Amino acid sequence: MVATVLAGVLGAGAGERMGSGGLTDPDAPSAQAQRILASRFDAGDPQLVLLAEASGPVDEPGASAAGTALTDRVRGIAGVRGVDSYWAPGRPESLRSKDGRIGLLLLRLDGNEDASEAVAARVVDQVSGKRDGLTVRVTGAAQLDREVDAQAEKDLTRAELLTAPLTLLILVLVFGSAVAAGLPLLAGIVSIAGTLAVLRAMTAVTDVSVFSLNLTTALGLGLAIDYSLFLITRYREELEAGRTVHDAIAVAMHTAGRTVLFSAITVALALSALLVFPGYFLRSFAYAGIAVALLTAAVTLVVLPALLALAGHRINALDLRSLLRGRRTAAARDRAQEGMWHRLAMAVMRRPLLFTLATVALLAGLATPFAGVEFGINDHRTLPQASAGYQASEQLRTRFDSQETTATPIVLDGRVENAALSDYAAAVSALPHVTRVDTALGSYLGGKLAAPASDASARFRADDGSAWLSAVTDVEPISADGTTLVERVRDLNSPVPVLVGGDSATLVDTRDAIGERLPWAALIVVAATALLLFALTGSVLIPLQAIALSVISLTATFGAMVYVFQDGHLRGLVGDFTPTGWIDVTALVLMFCVAYGLAMDYQVFLLSRIKEEYDHSGDNTAAVAVGLERTGRLVTAAAVLIAVVLGALAISGITYLKMLGVGLTLAVLVDAFIVRTLLMPALMRLFGNANWWAPTWMRRLHDRLGLRH
């Protein structure tokens, strides 16, 4: 209790110290370009964009005077480093909307991500809304990050309020006893408090994504309930067998408790694969997820046994199911349900080939849309359509001819002569979809110098002779055309090394970084799974089966995510969102590691009981049937519970979190109800005693180092 209170105090305000960035590789060419622009040229992408809309043309005297006054006011706000305004001398006409009623102000801000968000808050407070005949809306990276942070915190509170009563209701239905149902929830509360404290401590030493707060808190609650469910169930079984309270706890810890520790290590290792990726977004999930898995195991193995010792035989008190459903005792109902699982296992194993082919065909059908996946990165459309940042960003997309606010910066990182600079700028301006290239020499259109240099052009040159270009395009940055343009720019002959920045280049570099490191992440996950399952079973074939089953299950889930979130189907079922035509490149990586860890979680619980029975009987078919009989109800109940907890993310207003919630819920349910209940018993029956084969030297190794019941 003392530790929980202290953890709650330490974890308070954890979300306020987290960021919403970290998606990109800090060493990627696009990131290097941004750093050079900021340090050498005092330039770069604007962190804030102000849309100032007048009732008529913005060039009318009244609107022009108001726009000039707005520009001066913004320049005076602390933390605003630079302002490009439509109402400043020499600025391009593209800063005015097609209908002539909106003028843009592009703001560059001081400081890091947190400092930029603080400046954005000041700008919104001082200039947004209706002022001097202008209606000012605010968007840009800093403002969108602020809105994402606020929405994520709001979603977290709402999810916790929703999941607590539903979880308690399901636990009562599973256990019957209100006392037994309350203990997992209590363990979950302790785990959540510890999770928040861990995340708060981590923000002091490294960057942590605000999204990790939602996912790891849900994961901590879900794992705490799952692990408690298995330990309490085994404890009740031992009490029913006539053991004393202390002996029942000892046996439960020796069997289910050891499996809980083994499972937590499996989940932690699956999430550790995220450490190979460069951006702090994915790495923060690894830090937090590893800590949460191990912390939850500690709560289950230290706090819960103490609670069981205090509860004693009162663990079965307040049997609410008997009050609701008649005279049958909880034990009688459990035996009836166990009989159902035994009959299901035997039915599957009587026709193993039929069930294998049918389930594989079903999962393959679900996976089909994954063949058409397109990858992107988050933009403003991850926010709810009613948000201010979303609406302002849509104004930029629909009411302006060019992508002025997302122009592609191109850094020429070395001394470059004017003649070479002119040739290179002309070549860039001649590329498809490039509408204008601004340089120190002037503006280029269609391969020719269209406007000579102005006073503002001096900002494109540095004292060391290096330069940068701003390529304005007519395509969406996060699109196939946008990424193709970046690749064409990088393929051009240049007089000095070139670094391309901007959103399109960030997408290209992020995809490349993840693609390069994905095989290493997969190797970590597969190798860790194979070693741990070999230590558990002493088998060579079972780890390979487990890996194959998890991959099949996850591919089906990914196919469903493409069908829903990329293609925009079934929006009425999952809640409204804005389809973008792509899936965030980081989402599937994160979903894979989390869902794979949870799948192995259930695999460990099933296999540990099957192995226990096989060691006693030596009969593969009987061991599978008894193992599923003893754990089938628990695994499916645990899956429903964790699906409720993770599914609460699906009500989020942030599309990224919604997709994680829907995807992880589907992955857990498919794995528990189809893969572990139908496909796994069928395969184990097909392979028979070969499931437990290993070479002699590996068998001796397992006898010395492996886990034995």
Side-chain angles (χ1 to χ4, degrees), residues 184-343:
L185 202 58
L186 184 58
I189 292 171
V190 177
S191 180
I192 287 178
T195 298
L196 293 176
V198 168
L199 293 175
R200 171 64 176 81
M202 288 172 55
T203 61
V205 295
T206 187
D207 292 320
V208 179
S209 170
V210 69
F211 291 111
S212 69
L213 183 66
N214 299 68
L215 183 61
T216 54
T217 301
L219 191 61
L221 177 60
L223 290 178
I225 292 172
D226 278 5
Y227 294 165
S228 300
L229 182 65
F230 283 96
L231 193 65
I232 292 172
T233 299
R234 189 60 183 258
Y235 169 70
R236 295 173 83 189
E237 286 182 13
E238 300 305 324
L239 284 182
E240 289 182 2
R243 297 186 187 274
T244 65
V245 170
H246 286 182
D247 287 345
I249 293 174
V251 173
M253 290 289 285
H254 178 68
T255 54
R258 185 170 57 177
T259 305
V260 163
L261 179 59
F262 198 88
S263 176
I265 294 172
T266 304
V267 174
L269 286 174
L271 290 170
S272 71
L274 295 171
L275 291 172
V276 305
F277 298 104
Y280 80 78
F281 177 80
L282 288 176
R283 293 175 68 89
S284 66
F285 285 102
Y287 301 140
I290 293 169
V292 164
L294 299 180
L295 173 66
T296 304
V299 170
T300 306
L301 301 178
V302 176
V303 177
L304 190 57
L307 294 174
L308 292 175
L310 290 173
H313 287 280
R314 293 186 297 275
I315 191 71
N316 295 317
L318 300 177
D319 189 346
L320 301 182
R321 290 191 308 189
S322 63
L323 297 176
L324 294 174
R325 300 174 63 181
R327 296 181 178 180
R328 281 198 306 166
T329 65
R333 280 191 301 274
D334 289 347
R335 284 193 295 271
Q337 290 177 329
E338 288 171 355
M340 179 195 73
W341 288 105
H342 188 280
R343 290 192 297 272

Side-chain angles (χ1 to χ4, degrees), residues 23-25 27-32 278 483 486 490 500-517:
L23 293 167
T24 59
D25 181 357
D27 296 324
S30 55
Q32 295 178 41
T483 56
V486 168
R490 288 175 171 174
V500 182
D503 291 341
S504 298
T506 297
L507 172 57
V508 172
D509 292 340
T510 300
R511 287 194 311 200
D512 290 347
I514 289 178
E516 290 171 3
R517 292 164 174 82

